[in-house]
Amino acid sequence: MTFDDLVGGSVHDAAPGLIGWTLLLDGVGGRIVEVEAYEESDAASHSFGGPRGRNVVMFGPAGHLYVYRSYGIHWCANIVCGAVGHGAAVLLRALEPTQGLDEMRERRGGVSNRLLSSGPGRLTQALGITDLDNGARLTPPRFRLVPPDREARVVRTPRIGITRAVEREWRYVEAGSSWSSRPGRRAA
DNA sequence: CAGTGGATGCTCT
DNA sequence: GAGCATCCACTGT
């Protein structure tokens, strides 16, 4: 399975399928251990109601980044999925840091390894992703996506921090990972 | 451990 | 003017 095939299909296959892939930006990053799926028919999604304003990238080609500002302070990054015009994306919620830890620590203000990239806002800060990357293609030389070297076991839970469509269990976490945004809690 | 509240800017009503 | 796809510091067990 290539990255293009994975993200080019349904976001509901791409989201769990991305667990275990390694994301690198200029050689800094790690294993994807937590994501959430969003799509157009989903009241919690920025793409709900069609392409307007900040969400237009979600309706573009798969394999590009959709970056938005969260709570006025943080950046959050998504991988656009599915066919052009469908408004689907996978929110990157946590990485297990594997490469460039010194650089991540510097960008994150010297926090512990556990907090380097375990959370959507932390992850973008650790990798240096900002709105300048909105719409960027996830291709070399800047970005690299490396397939899993072993099969990841994935568990499914409700999404975090939303108030609408809360009954949809579209959050996916690597089973047993201590690098998710809330390890040690329910369905980490 | 759990719970609360502040920071801060963009989108939508 | 309200409401966020968040994080951190602080409080109280």
Side-chain angles (χ1 to χ4, degrees):
Chain A
M1 174 72 76
T2 68
F3 176 72
D4 285 342
D5 287 341
L6 183 59
V7 298
S10 163
V11 70
H12 302 295
D13 297 327
L18 281 166
I19 300 295
W21 283 71
T22 291
L23 168 67
L24 301 174
L25 199 175
D26 291 332
V28 176
R31 275 168 57 84
I32 299 172
V33 299
E34 178 183 351
V35 300
E36 288 175 0
Y38 289 88
E39 50 121 303
E40 192 175 356
S41 71
D42 165 17
S45 174
H46 292 171
S47 60
F48 187 65
R52 285 188 322 274
R54 67 175 173 180
N55 72 16
V56 293
V57 172
M58 286 185 76
F59 292 84
H64 290 236
L65 267 188
Y66 164 52
V67 180
Y68 68 92
R69 194 185 279 287
S70 173
Y71 290 89
I73 302 175
H74 304 101
W75 300 109
C76 290
N78 298 250
I79 299 178
V80 176
C81 291
V84 170
H86 278 258
V90 170
L91 171 67
L92 299 171
R93 287 196 55 94
L95 301 181
E96 172 183 343
T98 60
Q99 297 192 51
L101 269 68
D102 288 342
E103 192 157 359
M104 291 199 218
R105 247 190 310 271
E106 193 162 325
R107 290 180 178 139
R108 293 276 300 119
V111 298
S112 69
N113 283 359
R114 237 287 300 154
L115 299 176
L116 276 185
S117 53
S118 60
R122 294 165 177 163
L123 175 164
T124 55
Q125 188 180 23
L127 268 59
I129 295 173
T130 70
D131 62 335
L132 296 176
D133 301 300
N134 189 33
R137 264 187 83 196
L138 291 170
T139 50
R142 191 146 181 259
F143 293 96
R144 284 183 52 214
L145 279 137
V146 185
D149 49 12
R150 57 191 157 87
E151 192 164 339
R153 271 194 42 230
V154 178
V155 295
R156 209 178 120 103
T157 81
R159 293 175 292 185
I160 292 180
I162 57 169
T163 57
R164 299 186 292 190
V166 294
E167 74 287 354
R168 298 185 170 183
E169 300 203 340
W170 288 355
R171 174 174 175 256
Y172 301 91
V173 188
E174 177 169 27
S177 175
S178 53
W179 301 99
S180 76
S181 64
R182 41 182 59 188
R185 295 191 208 188
R186 179 169 36 220

